[in-house]
Amino acid sequence: MTNQKEPLIPAVGVVTDIRMDTPDVKTFRVVTPEGKKAFDHKPGQCAMLSIPGVGEAMFSITSSPTNTEFMEFSIKKCGCVTDWLHSMEVGQQITIRGPYGNAFPVDTEFAGKDMLFIAGGIGLAPLRSVINYCRHYRDRYGKIDIVYGSRSMQDLVDYQEIIDEWSQDAGVNVYLTIDREQPEWDGHVGFVPNYVKELGFSTDKIAVLCGPPIMIKFTLAGLQELGFDKTQVYTTMELRMKCGIGKCGRCNIGAKYVCKDGPVFRCDQLDELPDEY
Amino acid sequence: MRKISLSKLDALFEEIAAAYALYLPVDTKAGAKFERWEAGKTLSDALNTVRSAKDFFFPQTENLMDFKMEGKNIEVIDTRSESEDFVLFGVRACDVKSFEVLDRVFLSEPADTYYQNRREHGVILSLACTKLVETCFCGTFGIDAASPEGDVVCHKTEDALYLDAKTEKGQKLMAALESVTQEADASAVDAQKELIRERMAKLPLANLSADAFGDGKTSEFFDAPEWSELSQSCLGCGTCTFVCPTCQCYDIKDFNTGHGVKRFRCWDSCMYSEFTKMSAGQPRLTQMERFRQRFMHKLVYYPTNNDGLFSCVGCGRCVAKCPIQMNIVKVMKKLGGREND
């Protein structure tokens, strides 16, 4: 926590780098005014970023916990706070508090397993943290397969990192797809759920899904057709949040609070929640 | 146990007010309301205040912090100053119980320090009920209106106020009141308790049971067809949540003063469509879904997370204040099956 004793009071963060990922996604690098990482986190955890006077919103931490110098956030421009963030310049201060939520069980359930990551659009943001964590501790995991799709080639987040680094790693396979044909694209074309079924993965691995609800729904069904059990599949949830500590009531689903009990859920755990997410 | 003659209540209040900020229910044009005591103010005879006593620990609106903005730089300023010790006098059994419901939310890790600070500074002098009204159903949740919890438990008989310290905080306060109170035995209080319990047993909602609800019952009630009919006329006005002593949902908003930014927290309501609205979508699109959320939270979700404790204390405020006469009692009767027929 930024401030263990005062969970609602944020620390100041400085944006030291802004990278344009896609026409509507930018990746922001944030450090404290002293140039340090604001707090430690685990893969899958989130932070509250705010621009005082504009508002506060929860974002997944995109960078890996193994990076001890700074944090990164890949943010899609889609509302009040994100519009403002997209208009920011390097050097601008924001506020930051966290980390919030649970994390992917990278050191327990994932340990020693083959990993299959499946992301759609901005859904890659929360997965980047865990993918890079698994790549950093490469010998702790088996084969890593990454399926990533977006509307167009220009909408693939972290494209350069995927091509220059992920695709080059031994034991890591990257499968990219886009929704519609593009003249400059010679890769796969088609929706993620269908591509996953086409690829026909063996069922002895852990699958981690993140993307729009409709993509998650169809991909999960596809994985089950392939023979995956829901206990092998993890996803992250997103709901509106204000406090981040399970008190304001906004992200309450059933007896769970997404900010505190999530955002990471195993798919069989989701079955226990009422159907309203 | 000690007592003071009712004719000397002012002397008691004066003595308390010498060391604490004293708040008690007084009658106003808008009904009974907790106000700071000063000479001339008298204790309301009303059963309950219009708004519950939760404001003292979780105010309707509060300034959480300020931000000083200069160029690209931000300074975060914690605007809190030490709060003074205060006494809440005349809190009814239902409202005292609501503090426990709120505590489990706000004091669970990580604790809400704004709430925690006020809880530490507040001393509760509860007051056993004497008259009851037909909207009361605290007994449904195991609350005894004749014997409330609190730091000091008070009973008002025809001629005297009896005070019984129950906690360290209460004992400390009572020690300061020795000069105006005198030692008393419990016989008058016991007689009054018996009378109140007899009256409670005759209330129209005396047999309302919450047994059908409780932890882990989500699948039993979530898809119940009754929600649609029950919520049909709900206006989504949020009155029920605002008069409720246990509702704790809130919003955080910034306000630009022109000289800087103030960050506020204010009560919010799951009955409002904006409550869960995101740029990506809205998980609860209809009033039926929002209505269901409120009652599922009180009767199922909260007990699941809190050892079976319900998030309702049967104060009856929502029963009295809903503009379309909808309330938790009707929900419990409709969904609770034969037990509540």
Side-chain angles (χ1 to χ4, degrees), chain A residues 92-93, chain B residues 67-75 259:
Chain A
Q92 183 87 43
Q93 291 192 346
Chain B
F67 298 99
K68 215 161 120 188
M69 321 279 282
E70 268 180 22
K72 287 181 174 179
N73 294 339
I74 299 168
E75 190 189 341
H259 307 286

PDB file of all heavy atoms in Angstrom, chain A residues 92-93, chain B residues 67-75 259:
ATOM      1  N   GLN A  92       4.476  15.709 -15.927  1.00  0.00           N
ATOM      2  CA  GLN A  92       3.240  16.021 -15.213  1.00  0.00           C
ATOM      3  C   GLN A  92       3.114  15.119 -13.984  1.00  0.00           C
ATOM      4  O   GLN A  92       3.473  13.945 -14.027  1.00  0.00           O
ATOM      5  CB  GLN A  92       2.069  15.734 -16.156  1.00  0.00           C
ATOM      6  CG  GLN A  92       0.716  16.065 -15.619  1.00  0.00           C
ATOM      7  CD  GLN A  92       0.332  17.508 -15.878  1.00  0.00           C
ATOM      8  OE1 GLN A  92       0.566  18.012 -16.975  1.00  0.00           O
ATOM      9  NE2 GLN A  92      -0.208  18.154 -14.877  1.00  0.00           N
ATOM     10  N   GLN A  93       2.583  15.689 -12.896  1.00  0.00           N
ATOM     11  CA  GLN A  93       2.344  14.858 -11.715  1.00  0.00           C
ATOM     12  C   GLN A  93       0.890  14.385 -11.681  1.00  0.00           C
ATOM     13  O   GLN A  93      -0.013  15.076 -12.156  1.00  0.00           O
ATOM     14  CB  GLN A  93       2.675  15.637 -10.440  1.00  0.00           C
ATOM     15  CG  GLN A  93       4.169  15.900 -10.304  1.00  0.00           C
ATOM     16  CD  GLN A  93       4.574  16.408  -8.930  1.00  0.00           C
ATOM     17  OE1 GLN A  93       3.741  16.807  -8.139  1.00  0.00           O
ATOM     18  NE2 GLN A  93       5.865  16.383  -8.662  1.00  0.00           N
TER      19      GLN A  93
ATOM     20  N   PHE B  67      -5.794  19.232  -2.384  1.00  0.00           N
ATOM     21  CA  PHE B  67      -4.647  19.172  -3.300  1.00  0.00           C
ATOM     22  C   PHE B  67      -4.248  20.593  -3.668  1.00  0.00           C
ATOM     23  O   PHE B  67      -5.105  21.412  -4.010  1.00  0.00           O
ATOM     24  CB  PHE B  67      -5.011  18.419  -4.586  1.00  0.00           C
ATOM     25  CG  PHE B  67      -5.399  16.983  -4.363  1.00  0.00           C
ATOM     26  CD1 PHE B  67      -6.735  16.613  -4.310  1.00  0.00           C
ATOM     27  CD2 PHE B  67      -4.429  16.005  -4.211  1.00  0.00           C
ATOM     28  CE1 PHE B  67      -7.104  15.290  -4.103  1.00  0.00           C
ATOM     29  CE2 PHE B  67      -4.794  14.676  -4.005  1.00  0.00           C
ATOM     30  CZ  PHE B  67      -6.130  14.328  -3.955  1.00  0.00           C
ATOM     31  N   LYS B  68      -2.972  20.860  -3.563  1.00  0.00           N
ATOM     32  CA  LYS B  68      -2.470  22.160  -4.005  1.00  0.00           C
ATOM     33  C   LYS B  68      -1.821  21.915  -5.369  1.00  0.00           C
ATOM     34  O   LYS B  68      -0.914  21.070  -5.474  1.00  0.00           O
ATOM     35  CB  LYS B  68      -1.442  22.678  -2.998  1.00  0.00           C
ATOM     36  CG  LYS B  68      -1.487  24.183  -2.845  1.00  0.00           C
ATOM     37  CD  LYS B  68      -0.819  24.577  -1.554  1.00  0.00           C
ATOM     38  CE  LYS B  68       0.352  25.484  -1.835  1.00  0.00           C
ATOM     39  NZ  LYS B  68       1.130  25.725  -0.624  1.00  0.00           N
ATOM     40  N   MET B  69      -2.274  22.610  -6.372  1.00  0.00           N
ATOM     41  CA  MET B  69      -1.771  22.379  -7.726  1.00  0.00           C
ATOM     42  C   MET B  69      -0.964  23.601  -8.168  1.00  0.00           C
ATOM     43  O   MET B  69      -1.472  24.717  -8.155  1.00  0.00           O
ATOM     44  CB  MET B  69      -2.942  22.184  -8.695  1.00  0.00           C
ATOM     45  CG  MET B  69      -4.111  21.371  -8.159  1.00  0.00           C
ATOM     46  SD  MET B  69      -3.842  19.616  -8.256  1.00  0.00           S
ATOM     47  CE  MET B  69      -4.184  19.352  -9.985  1.00  0.00           C
ATOM     48  N   GLU B  70       0.280  23.338  -8.554  1.00  0.00           N
ATOM     49  CA  GLU B  70       1.118  24.433  -9.064  1.00  0.00           C
ATOM     50  C   GLU B  70       1.861  23.952 -10.290  1.00  0.00           C
ATOM     51  O   GLU B  70       2.724  23.080 -10.185  1.00  0.00           O
ATOM     52  CB  GLU B  70       2.121  24.871  -8.004  1.00  0.00           C
ATOM     53  CG  GLU B  70       1.576  26.004  -7.146  1.00  0.00           C
ATOM     54  CD  GLU B  70       2.571  26.452  -6.064  1.00  0.00           C
ATOM     55  OE1 GLU B  70       3.778  26.200  -6.255  1.00  0.00           O
ATOM     56  OE2 GLU B  70       2.105  27.005  -5.070  1.00  0.00           O
ATOM     57  N   GLY B  71       1.497  24.479 -11.439  1.00  0.00           N
ATOM     58  CA  GLY B  71       2.100  24.009 -12.685  1.00  0.00           C
ATOM     59  C   GLY B  71       1.833  22.531 -12.849  1.00  0.00           C
ATOM     60  O   GLY B  71       0.693  22.099 -12.782  1.00  0.00           O
ATOM     61  N   LYS B  72       2.910  21.759 -13.034  1.00  0.00           N
ATOM     62  CA  LYS B  72       2.734  20.319 -13.197  1.00  0.00           C
ATOM     63  C   LYS B  72       2.732  19.602 -11.855  1.00  0.00           C
ATOM     64  O   LYS B  72       2.584  18.387 -11.802  1.00  0.00           O
ATOM     65  CB  LYS B  72       3.883  19.756 -14.058  1.00  0.00           C
ATOM     66  CG  LYS B  72       3.771  20.117 -15.540  1.00  0.00           C
ATOM     67  CD  LYS B  72       4.931  19.493 -16.305  1.00  0.00           C
ATOM     68  CE  LYS B  72       4.768  19.718 -17.795  1.00  0.00           C
ATOM     69  NZ  LYS B  72       5.868  19.152 -18.572  1.00  0.00           N
ATOM     70  N   ASN B  73       2.941  20.351 -10.756  1.00  0.00           N
ATOM     71  CA  ASN B  73       3.125  19.709  -9.451  1.00  0.00           C
ATOM     72  C   ASN B  73       1.851  19.648  -8.601  1.00  0.00           C
ATOM     73  O   ASN B  73       0.991  20.520  -8.683  1.00  0.00           O
ATOM     74  CB  ASN B  73       4.221  20.426  -8.664  1.00  0.00           C
ATOM     75  CG  ASN B  73       5.566  20.265  -9.347  1.00  0.00           C
ATOM     76  OD1 ASN B  73       5.757  19.338 -10.136  1.00  0.00           O
ATOM     77  ND2 ASN B  73       6.476  21.175  -9.057  1.00  0.00           N
ATOM     78  N   ILE B  74       1.819  18.613  -7.784  1.00  0.00           N
ATOM     79  CA  ILE B  74       0.670  18.385  -6.902  1.00  0.00           C
ATOM     80  C   ILE B  74       1.179  18.205  -5.471  1.00  0.00           C
ATOM     81  O   ILE B  74       2.163  17.505  -5.247  1.00  0.00           O
ATOM     82  CB  ILE B  74      -0.078  17.094  -7.297  1.00  0.00           C
ATOM     83  CG1 ILE B  74      -0.626  17.184  -8.726  1.00  0.00           C
ATOM     84  CG2 ILE B  74      -1.204  16.789  -6.311  1.00  0.00           C
ATOM     85  CD1 ILE B  74      -1.119  15.858  -9.284  1.00  0.00           C
ATOM     86  N   GLU B  75       0.495  18.855  -4.521  1.00  0.00           N
ATOM     87  CA  GLU B  75       0.789  18.582  -3.112  1.00  0.00           C
ATOM     88  C   GLU B  75      -0.484  18.025  -2.475  1.00  0.00           C
ATOM     89  O   GLU B  75      -1.566  18.589  -2.647  1.00  0.00           O
ATOM     90  CB  GLU B  75       1.227  19.876  -2.413  1.00  0.00           C
ATOM     91  CG  GLU B  75       1.768  19.637  -1.024  1.00  0.00           C
ATOM     92  CD  GLU B  75       1.981  20.939  -0.265  1.00  0.00           C
ATOM     93  OE1 GLU B  75       2.058  22.017  -0.907  1.00  0.00           O
ATOM     94  OE2 GLU B  75       2.049  20.888   0.964  1.00  0.00           O
ATOM     95  N   HIS B 259      -8.826  27.774  -6.052  1.00  0.00           N
ATOM     96  CA  HIS B 259      -7.509  27.938  -5.404  1.00  0.00           C
ATOM     97  C   HIS B 259      -6.832  26.587  -5.232  1.00  0.00           C
ATOM     98  O   HIS B 259      -5.718  26.490  -4.763  1.00  0.00           O
ATOM     99  CB  HIS B 259      -7.667  28.584  -4.029  1.00  0.00           C
ATOM    100  CG  HIS B 259      -8.440  29.848  -4.055  1.00  0.00           C
ATOM    101  ND1 HIS B 259      -7.905  31.007  -4.543  1.00  0.00           N
ATOM    102  CD2 HIS B 259      -9.715  30.127  -3.691  1.00  0.00           C
ATOM    103  CE1 HIS B 259      -8.828  31.966  -4.467  1.00  0.00           C
ATOM    104  NE2 HIS B 259      -9.929  31.449  -3.965  1.00  0.00           N
TER     105      HIS B 259
END
